Amino acid sequence: MKDKVVLAFSGGLDTSYCVKHLKEEKGLEVYSVLVNTGGFTEEELKEVEERAYSLGVKEHTTLDETAYYYQSCIKYLIFGNVLKNGTYPLSVSAERVTQAIAVARHAQQVGASYVAHGSTGAGNDQVRFDMIFQMMIPDVEILTPIRDNRLSREEEIAFLKKYGVEYDYKKAQYSINKGIWGTSVGGKETLTSHLPLPEEAYPTQLSKQEPEHVTLHFVKGELVGLNDKTCESPVAAIQALQEMAGPFAIGRDIHVGDTIIGIKGRVGFEAAAPIIIIKAHHTLEKHVLTKWQLYWKDQLSAWYGNWLHEGQILDPTMRNIEAFLQDTQQNVTGKVQVLLAPYRFQVEGIESDHDLMSSKFGRYGEMNNTWSGEDVKGFSKIFGNQSVMYHKINGSTLK
């Protein structure tokens, strides 16, 4: 009886090579698995399944992990308003850790002796997959044919031809990775430090010209509806907003950041719904949370986003921060009005029963209702007292 290997399979050149290598050269029984996190159509999923069986896998499985992806990851990225380096909504990195967890669970279910992925030795994904496999299935050996053999594209194609696989693996001008939390775009321009991506590189082209208004409904920090419609789930709400805002070509940018392996990386992306949701959610929070709630959320959320980006989703500290983030959302309920227009959006205002910007207490710069001028005089004297003493004792003044 042959040993089983579970392979994270996308249907591209690298994972197609892995199937044949593991089956023909290693003599393993290949169980391919595709983890859908909201980026595939039914037609695309069918095509990947057909490709897997044509290559000779013993069994192919499609796992729809979109709901789990939201509950275990995206929800906290929204609660934390996480944008890496103030720009990137972690579209690919968050997706990869979810996929790695699903692959590891599948390997356990089928009783695999090996687990494999098609990552090269040059990127972040190899670390994310390896670490999660080591944590979840430490007794299952990890195989990485592309990384270990350091093959060129041409060598992979020649190997597949040797086994009768004649498929037109044309190298796309731009590499696209699509998921519910954004689409990454890589190309020759992102390998430089100065070139922008051209308009045609983005999968979603501008097709709406007339501005539209949309109202986002949040309940305890989660997006639950748009305009006058309550969606069946937060996932459905994200998808509906993407369908509405994507044609405006909103949410495009290029992220520059530090990779797990120590080098700088640059990637383009489009993420209309994620960017709008995060900015709308953040605006609502600024109205309903206190100064120090906002401050500590900023500190912990930045750390959470970076640790997630580096594949450390299973670190127990992440559960601690998630509990904090969840607790901060108790009053993050209300409506946020957003204007959508070509290439841009604008958060126009909020409505919430928990709005701390209440005229009952005062109107900034105009009227004070719950304190007097004498109260402020005393407060100002005490609030600055230590600095006053410092300057008097040390005789220091501003130059």
Side-chain angles (χ1 to χ4, degrees), residues 83-88 279:
L83 293 173
K84 186 167 174 59
N85 291 359
T87 304
Y88 180 51
K279 293 297 185 181

Side-chain angles (χ1 to χ4, degrees), residues 26-185:
K26 294 291 188 180
L28 299 174
E29 202 168 65
V30 182
Y31 288 70
S32 60
V33 57
L34 182 147
V35 183
N36 181 19
T37 50
F40 291 89
T41 65
E42 287 300 320
E43 183 180 351
E44 289 169 337
L45 292 173
K46 187 65 177 175
E47 288 176 357
V48 172
E49 180 179 1
E50 291 173 354
R51 174 79 48 75
Y53 283 115
S54 72
L55 289 165
V57 302
K58 174 71 174 180
E59 180 180 286
H60 177 81
T61 303
T62 298
L63 300 175
D64 189 343
E65 295 292 313
T66 309
Y68 173 78
Y69 180 27
Y70 172 81
Q71 289 295 337
S72 65
C73 193
I74 293 175
K75 179 171 68 174
Y76 299 107
L77 297 179
I78 296 171
F79 290 171
N81 308 310
V82 175
L83 293 173
K84 186 167 174 59
N85 291 359
T87 304
Y88 180 51
L90 299 185
S91 303
V92 175
S93 44
E95 182 179 82
R96 288 292 182 266
V97 296
T98 302
Q99 291 169 334
I101 289 169
V103 172
R105 286 175 176 160
H106 192 66
Q108 288 176 317
Q109 290 171 358
V110 304
S113 301
Y114 303 92
V115 63
H117 60 86
S119 301
T120 70
N124 288 324
D125 288 345
Q126 57 178 327
V127 179
R128 295 172 182 137
F129 277 104
D130 280 9
M131 283 197 306
I132 286 172
F133 292 162
Q134 289 164 9
M135 293 175 197
M136 291 186 64
I137 45 175
D139 297 327
V140 177
E141 186 177 343
I142 303 169
L143 302 178
T144 55
I146 305 300
R147 178 175 61 187
D148 295 343
N149 295 333
R150 304 183 67 178
L151 299 172
S152 68
R153 183 179 181 82
E154 291 70 28
E155 287 173 319
E156 290 181 57
I157 292 172
F159 177 85
L160 287 168
K161 284 183 177 178
K162 184 175 77 171
Y163 287 101
V165 181
E166 296 282 351
Y167 182 77
D168 186 12
Y169 290 101
K170 287 182 179 178
K171 186 171 183 178
Q173 188 174 0
Y174 294 98
S175 60
I176 306 295
N177 187 90
K178 184 179 181 182
I180 192 175
W181 205 235
T183 299
S184 68
V185 185

Side-chain angles (χ1 to χ4, degrees), residues 181-228:
W181 205 235
T183 299
S184 68
V185 185
K188 61 184 180 184
E189 293 85 1
T190 56
L191 299 176
T192 73
S193 296
H194 67 289
L195 291 176
L197 284 167
E199 177 78 18
E200 61 271 17
Y202 292 97
T204 306
Q205 293 291 293
L206 177 68
S207 59
K208 281 186 177 182
Q209 297 289 344
E210 289 299 316
E212 297 177 12
H213 285 87
V214 59
T215 299
L216 279 63
H217 297 256
F218 289 93
V219 173
K220 293 188 176 182
E222 296 191 70
L223 181 66
V224 299
L226 300 173
N227 294 327
D228 57 354

Side-chain angles (χ1 to χ4, degrees), residues 124-353:
N124 288 324
D125 288 345
Q126 57 178 327
V127 179
R128 295 172 182 137
F129 277 104
D130 280 9
M131 283 197 306
I132 286 172
F133 292 162
Q134 289 164 9
M135 293 175 197
M136 291 186 64
I137 45 175
D139 297 327
V140 177
E141 186 177 343
I142 303 169
L143 302 178
T144 55
I146 305 300
R147 178 175 61 187
D148 295 343
N149 295 333
R150 304 183 67 178
L151 299 172
S152 68
R153 183 179 181 82
E154 291 70 28
E155 287 173 319
E156 290 181 57
I157 292 172
F159 177 85
L160 287 168
K161 284 183 177 178
K162 184 175 77 171
Y163 287 101
V165 181
E166 296 282 351
Y167 182 77
D168 186 12
Y169 290 101
K170 287 182 179 178
K171 186 171 183 178
Q173 188 174 0
Y174 294 98
S175 60
I176 306 295
N177 187 90
K178 184 179 181 182
I180 192 175
W181 205 235
T183 299
S184 68
V185 185
K188 61 184 180 184
E189 293 85 1
T190 56
L191 299 176
T192 73
S193 296
H194 67 289
L195 291 176
L197 284 167
E199 177 78 18
E200 61 271 17
Y202 292 97
T204 306
Q205 293 291 293
L206 177 68
S207 59
K208 281 186 177 182
Q209 297 289 344
E210 289 299 316
E212 297 177 12
H213 285 87
V214 59
T215 299
L216 279 63
H217 297 256
F218 289 93
V219 173
K220 293 188 176 182
E222 296 191 70
L223 181 66
V224 299
L226 300 173
N227 294 327
D228 57 354
K229 179 183 178 183
T230 299
C231 299
E232 63 182 27
S233 68
V235 167
I238 294 169
Q239 292 169 328
L241 181 59
Q242 180 64 38
E243 187 175 339
M244 182 185 301
F248 283 108
I250 290 170
R252 294 178 176 183
D253 209 337
I254 292 183
H255 164 62
V256 181
D258 297 291
T259 66
I260 305 171
I261 54 179
I263 60 176
K264 294 285 186 181
R266 192 168 181 253
V267 65
F269 66 90
E270 59 174 38
I275 297 295
I276 293 169
I277 292 168
I278 286 173
K279 293 297 185 181
H281 175 268
H282 191 202
T283 300
L284 180 58
E285 281 195 328
K286 287 189 285 187
H287 280 263
V288 304
L289 298 185
T290 67
K291 174 174 68 174
W292 293 114
Q293 282 180 303
L294 291 166
Y295 173 84
W296 285 111
K297 277 188 78 270
D298 285 347
Q299 313 312 306
L300 291 173
S301 297
W303 193 92
Y304 182 91
N306 186 64
W307 213 220
L308 175 62
H309 173 74
E310 297 189 354
Q312 294 282 4
I313 186 68
L314 298 180
D315 186 320
T317 312
M318 301 293 273
R319 307 293 82 76
N320 304 143
I321 296 175
E322 287 166 1
F324 169 82
L325 292 174
Q326 183 87 51
D327 189 67
T328 65
Q329 301 302 293
Q330 299 310 304
N331 293 328
V332 187
T333 295
K335 302 175 184 178
V336 185
Q337 291 84 32
V338 179
L339 172 68
L340 307 177
Y343 301 110
R344 68 180 182 89
F345 70 95
Q346 180 179 338
V347 178
E348 297 187 318
I350 72 103
E351 298 174 52
S352 174
D353 292 339

